[in-house]
């Protein structure tokens, strides 16, 4: 029996509506990413993610926060994960891996193009960028004083910097890097940190104007002329230099320290685009854009920067390949103990 025309029309309309609804659902794939806020988030949203979203038919939902915020969020939601890809500093990321929050990174050709420092042991995360922790100094002030540029981690002990030195606290990765390098100067390392505490307590602390964690306050102390020498990361120094303020990054002769920018796919999530996003972020083109736009050193050997673009950024095998990498598997379990000791002995 044939269906009357009005009924056929209603059936057709209903089928079209269902089909359109299904197509909308199919297109509305969402990839949840947790990473840094501020200008990094702006760069990702405006220059990096749109091409990926278009190619993969996915919408990226971005949760901004610092690395400790992201780690805390992952821990709090581990029974029902809500994030597909997390991007954090290397210290917190190694904690995430140890807690079983990350899953295996799938093999892909792009990983063969990375510097060794970007290859995370265990295969559950990958380096995405490199920041070098070194020394920042006010070039104008140094020239006025007739001082040569600093060259060594030992310069933090020089009495001429009394009251004009800024070092992040130990709770900050840059401060931890400084402690480890001072320990090395005294014959120690992560596993023998005593020489570092001795150096800070007896020789460096008298020079320190402030143990400052806030990037905004660090910048303010330099711009006001209160501080002229500090320990900081290359991306931060690069951003300040780009404002026209007379600062430069120094790679100390004993070595700058790597602060790795690490990404991992989150365990308990089954979103194929998570693996694709990590590979996309490691492509030479994206690595170059992030270097130019934010100052992270490329970890893909095929990424190319001009001399001007690479200024102040860890770039190439001589800089990226030789960055001192912290043994986070050892440090993370003892970090709270170090923090307590730092508060008691150094930053009283």
């Amino acid at each position: 029996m044939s269906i009357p025309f009005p009924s056929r029309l209603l059936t057709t309309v209903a089928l079209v509506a269902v089909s359109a609804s299904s197509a909308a659902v199919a297109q509305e794939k969402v990839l949840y990413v947790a990473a840094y806020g501020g200008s990094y988030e702006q760069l990702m949203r405006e220059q990096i993610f749109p091409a990926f979203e278009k190619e993969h038919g996915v919408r990226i939902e971005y949760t901004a926060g610092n690395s400790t915020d992201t780690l805390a969020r992952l821990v709090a939601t581990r029974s029902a994960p809500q994030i597909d890809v997390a991007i954090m500093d290397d210290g917190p990321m190694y904690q995430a891996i140890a807690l079983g929050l990350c899953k295996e990174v799938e093999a892909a050709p792009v990983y063969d193009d990375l510097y060794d420092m970007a290859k995370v042991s265990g295969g559950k995360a990958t380096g995405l960028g490199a920041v070098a922790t070194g020394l920042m100094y006010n070039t104008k002030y140094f020239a006025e004083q007739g001082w040569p540029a600093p060259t060594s981690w030992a310069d933090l002990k020089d009495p001429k910097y009394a009251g004009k030195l800024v070092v992040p606290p130990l709770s900050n990765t840059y401060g931890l890097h400084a402690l480890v390098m001072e320990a090395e100067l005294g014959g120690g390392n992560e596993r023998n940190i005593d020489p570092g505490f001795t150096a800070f307590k007896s020789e460096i602390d008298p020079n320190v104007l402030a143990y400052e964690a806030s990037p905004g306050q660090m910048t303010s102390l330099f711009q006001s002329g209160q501080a002229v020498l500090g320990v900081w990361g290359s991306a931060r120094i690069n951003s300040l230099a780009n404002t026209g303020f007379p600062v430069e990054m120094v790679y100390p002769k004993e070595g700058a320290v790597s602060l790795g920018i690490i990404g991992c796919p989150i365990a308990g999530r089954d979103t194929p685009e998570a693996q694709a996003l990590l590979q996309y972020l490691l492509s030479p083109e994206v690595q170059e854009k992030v270097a130019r736009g934010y100052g992270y050193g490329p970890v893909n050997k095929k990424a190319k920067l001009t001399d001007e673009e690479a200024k102040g950024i860890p770039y190439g095998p001589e800089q990226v390949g030789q960055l001192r990498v912290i043994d986070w598997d050892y440090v993370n379990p003892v970090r709270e103990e170090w923090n307590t000791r730092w508060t008691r002995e150094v930053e009283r």
Side-chain angles (χ1 to χ4, degrees), residues 35 53 64 90 94 118 148 155 173 200 222 227 236 262 271 282 290 296 300 304 322-323 337:
E53 290 174 315
D90 47 11
Y94 273 86
D155 286 323
T173 302
F200 264 97
F222 265 77
R236 298 285 189 189
I262 314 291
T271 313
L282 286 169
V290 174
Y296 283 162
N300 187 323
K304 302 298 180 186
Q322 295 176 19
L323 290 175
E337 178 187 328

Side-chain angles (χ1 to χ4, degrees), residues 153-158 165 167 178-188 192-208 211 341-342 345-346 348:
W153 288 102
D155 286 323
L156 301 184
K157 305 173 184 178
D158 192 326
L165 171 65
V167 181
L179 178 68
V180 171
M181 294 311 292
E182 293 299 331
E184 285 202 351
L185 283 177
N192 176 17
I193 203 66
D194 287 350
F197 275 100
T198 298
F200 264 97
K201 184 167 54 176
S202 61
E203 298 177 272
I204 298 173
D205 185 64
N207 290 344
V208 174
Y211 292 102
R341 183 176 175 184
W342 178 270
E345 298 181 14
V346 180
R348 298 184 296 277

Side-chain angles (χ1 to χ4, degrees), residues 7 40 88 106 151 161 303 306 326:
S7 298
Y40 180 85
M88 294 185 276
E106 294 175 1
T151 60
Y161 301 125
T306 66
I326 296 295

Side-chain angles (χ1 to χ4, degrees), residues 48-77:
I48 306 301
F49 288 154
F52 180 86
E53 290 174 315
K54 183 177 181 180
E55 180 181 351
H56 293 271
V58 66
R59 176 170 59 85
I60 292 178
E61 277 288 326
Y62 195 103
T63 301
N66 62 36
S67 296
T68 51
D69 292 338
T70 297
L71 178 60
R73 186 174 293 110
L74 294 176
V75 171
T77 59

Side-chain angles (χ1 to χ4, degrees), residues 41-315:
E41 177 184 1
Q42 184 179 356
L43 177 73
M44 292 292 114
R45 288 184 182 277
E46 294 178 0
Q47 298 186 38
I48 306 301
F49 288 154
F52 180 86
E53 290 174 315
K54 183 177 181 180
E55 180 181 351
H56 293 271
V58 66
R59 176 170 59 85
I60 292 178
E61 277 288 326
Y62 195 103
T63 301
N66 62 36
S67 296
T68 51
D69 292 338
T70 297
L71 178 60
R73 186 174 293 110
L74 294 176
V75 171
T77 59
R78 67 184 306 165
S79 59
Q82 300 169 7
I83 301 296
D84 295 302
V85 174
I87 299 173
M88 294 185 276
D89 293 352
D90 47 11
M93 182 60 82
Y94 273 86
Q95 288 180 282
I97 294 169
L99 290 169
L101 300 173
C102 298
K103 67 180 182 181
E104 205 78 27
V105 173
E106 294 175 1
V110 72
Y111 295 114
D112 296 332
D113 299 331
L114 306 188
Y115 291 107
D116 288 343
M117 59 80 62
K119 298 174 182 178
V120 178
S121 61
K124 293 190 174 181
T126 179
L128 299 175
V131 170
T133 300
L135 306 180
M136 170 174 72
Y137 75 105
N138 183 323
T139 56
K140 182 173 181 289
Y141 184 90
F142 271 60
E144 290 171 349
Q145 301 301 313
W147 293 348
T151 60
S152 167
W153 288 102
D155 286 323
L156 301 184
K157 305 173 184 178
D158 192 326
K160 73 183 178 190
Y161 301 125
K164 292 193 171 295
L165 171 65
V166 182
V167 181
L170 191 61
S171 57
N172 181 285
T173 302
Y174 299 133
L176 186 144
H177 287 171
L179 178 68
V180 171
M181 294 311 292
E182 293 299 331
E184 285 202 351
L185 283 177
N189 53 31
E190 295 97 315
R191 295 172 183 268
N192 176 17
I193 203 66
D194 287 350
F197 275 100
T198 298
F200 264 97
K201 184 167 54 176
S202 61
E203 298 177 272
I204 298 173
D205 185 64
N207 290 344
V208 174
L209 168 68
Y211 292 102
E212 185 51 63
S214 163
Q217 188 60 22
M218 174 76 87
T219 298
S220 177
L221 289 171
F222 265 77
Q223 290 175 329
S224 67
Q226 294 173 268
V228 300
L229 178 67
V231 174
W232 223 15
S234 54
R236 298 285 189 189
I237 299 170
N238 189 59
S239 294
L240 180 54
N242 285 342
T243 69
F245 190 78
V247 292
E248 281 190 10
M249 163 87 179
V250 169
Y251 286 76
K253 62 185 180 182
E254 301 86 5
V257 189
S258 168
L259 191 162
I261 310 305
I262 314 291
C264 89
I266 300 303
R269 299 285 291 184
D270 187 21
T271 313
E273 289 79 14
Q275 300 284 347
L277 179 63
L278 292 174
Q279 295 166 28
Y280 171 75
L281 293 175
L282 286 169
S283 65
E285 298 77 16
V286 171
Q287 292 270 290
E288 291 161 5
K289 283 184 180 179
V290 174
R292 296 185 192 108
Y294 197 72
Y296 283 162
V299 296
N300 187 323
K301 299 174 187 175
K302 293 183 177 179
K304 302 298 180 186
L305 301 176
T306 66
D307 290 345
E308 184 62 28
E309 290 168 344
K311 189 175 181 180
I313 296 175
Y315 171 68

